Amino acid sequence: MAASLRRRSLLTAGLLASLGTLSACGSDASSSARSGHASASPRPTPVDLDTAARQQVGAAMTTLLAGYDSAAAHTELRRGLATQLAALGAGGHAASPSASAAAPVSPASASASASAPVSASPTAPATASGARARPGDAELASGEAGLVSLCVTQLQVVSPVLARLLASIGAGAAQRTVQLGGRVPAATVPSLARLRPTASELDALQAALGAEQATVFGYGVLGALLSGGRRSQATSDFDLHRARRDTLESLITASGATPQAAAAAYTLPFEVTDTASARRLAALLESRLAAVYANAVQASAHAFRDEAATQLRLTALRAQSWGATSTPFPGLPDH
């Protein structure tokens, strides 16, 4: 836990440092005011970490939207990103460091270009004349992958509700990365073996265990109806979920609690009789798991939050691979 706390402190320090440019313009004016009248100097404004994270992630998303606009392609992917940006700006927070903190972001304003490049922005190559070429799929995919990494970093230092949203936004960005033919940043699953969960984290672990148990049962049914590459994929995912189930049982037992028992059987949401229905069931199982892990992000902190966000992202990608409809907010109700 000490390592997690140190990580949180370092991330917090990084956020505070990133806001230095926002206050630079006011510092010169305030210094001249102090020279004339000391009482006129403004008091420093406390930094709200949620606001800072919304600004930084929002700026990256705004620049990435400009890349989509420049490419004039992938309308559906751009719409998903704009929908995410609108949700991120809800509640009176600006999505760009240069925007007023009191102005919510609308999908229309989300297409505006950011004033400076950020890590999640696609970089278009320069042409012989010096003009920038339209970004291709590779550049857009790189921008989306950068957005994944940024969300992973920021969700550790924000409030539980915003962490859940950022984890979902990152999962949606991961789906778009794959759709563009790019590679999602490698998932680093933190070790929880020596950490003791809080009461809310333990509840989240139990909920995830229950969902994984049902998923293992579902894959056992659908795998028999598949062949070739799809059968191999089902077998791999089945083994993955069994390992995940066993890990959760071990974590719960180590905390001093009793893992909930799996049901003898589960009622399938629809009849599974052929390849199409088997694939549909796999997509539904993964989508339902995504919702469980999104809730776990909100219920957790530090390494437990990081691990839940990782599982949400991986589950969203598996759901997509089975044919689930991509959504701007994997694991969350429609906004």
Side-chain angles (χ1 to χ4, degrees):
M1 185 66 73
S4 299
L5 290 175
R6 286 196 299 272
R7 180 184 180 191
R8 179 181 178 89
S9 299
L10 290 172
L11 291 172
T12 303
L15 270 178
L16 297 177
S18 70
L19 291 180
T21 56
L22 300 180
S23 59
C25 294
S27 61
D28 293 339
S30 62
S31 60
S32 60
R34 282 195 299 271
S35 63
H37 200 323
S39 61
S41 61
R43 295 181 178 180
T45 303
V47 175
D48 176 76
L49 295 180
D50 276 16
T51 299
R54 287 179 189 271
Q55 290 175 341
Q56 189 167 352
V57 176
M61 297 169 76
T62 301
T63 306
L64 184 52
L65 276 172
Y68 277 104
D69 290 339
S70 177
H74 304 296
T75 303
E76 287 300 318
L77 300 186
R78 186 209 178 280
R79 182 178 294 116
L81 179 62
T83 301
Q84 289 181 332
L85 181 57
L88 184 67
H93 293 281
S96 171
S98 61
S100 168
V105 177
S106 65
S109 64
S111 61
S113 174
S115 58
V118 292
S119 60
S121 62
T123 302
T127 63
S129 62
R132 289 287 178 181
R134 290 183 177 181
D137 288 5
E139 288 78 20
L140 293 173
S142 177
E144 293 284 9
L147 179 57
V148 174
S149 298
L150 184 58
C151 288
V152 168
T153 300
Q154 300 289 15
L155 67 86
Q156 275 292 344
V157 298
V158 298
S159 65
V161 172
L162 182 55
R164 182 170 177 256
L165 178 59
L166 289 179
S168 180
I169 288 174
Q175 289 183 329
R176 292 192 298 273
T177 301
V178 172
Q179 288 175 283
L180 289 164
R183 300 185 63 178
V184 178
T188 302
V189 181
S191 174
L192 307 178
R194 298 184 179 182
L195 301 179
R196 188 173 184 85
T198 63
S200 62
E201 289 167 345
L202 180 58
D203 288 342
L205 292 175
Q206 292 279 23
L209 173 58
E212 292 286 2
Q213 290 166 337
T215 300
V216 168
F217 177 86
Y219 269 98
V221 173
L222 66 89
L225 297 171
L226 299 172
S227 60
R230 283 298 183 181
R231 184 178 179 85
S232 297
Q233 180 183 357
T235 300
S236 176
D237 288 348
F238 175 71
D239 291 340
L240 183 153
H241 287 295
R242 284 201 306 176
R244 177 68 184 155
R245 175 201 63 191
D246 295 345
T247 296
L248 289 166
E249 288 179 344
S250 297
L251 287 171
I252 293 169
T253 299
S255 73
T258 301
Q260 69 173 31
Y266 295 85
T267 302
L268 298 179
F270 49 81
E271 191 174 3
V272 182
T273 59
D274 55 17
T275 299
S277 57
R279 291 180 59 181
R280 188 155 60 97
L281 177 59
L284 179 61
L285 290 172
E286 298 291 356
S287 296
R288 288 181 172 180
L289 263 180
V292 173
Y293 285 118
N295 290 337
V297 171
Q298 184 169 339
S300 306
H302 310 309
F304 285 98
R305 177 182 289 183
D306 193 13
E307 201 268 350
T310 297
Q311 294 300 330
L312 167 58
R313 189 165 63 256
L314 295 175
T315 299
L317 290 172
R318 286 193 298 270
Q320 183 182 53
S321 73
W322 282 109
T325 302
S326 297
T327 169
F329 305 103
L332 302 189
D334 292 336
H335 279 60

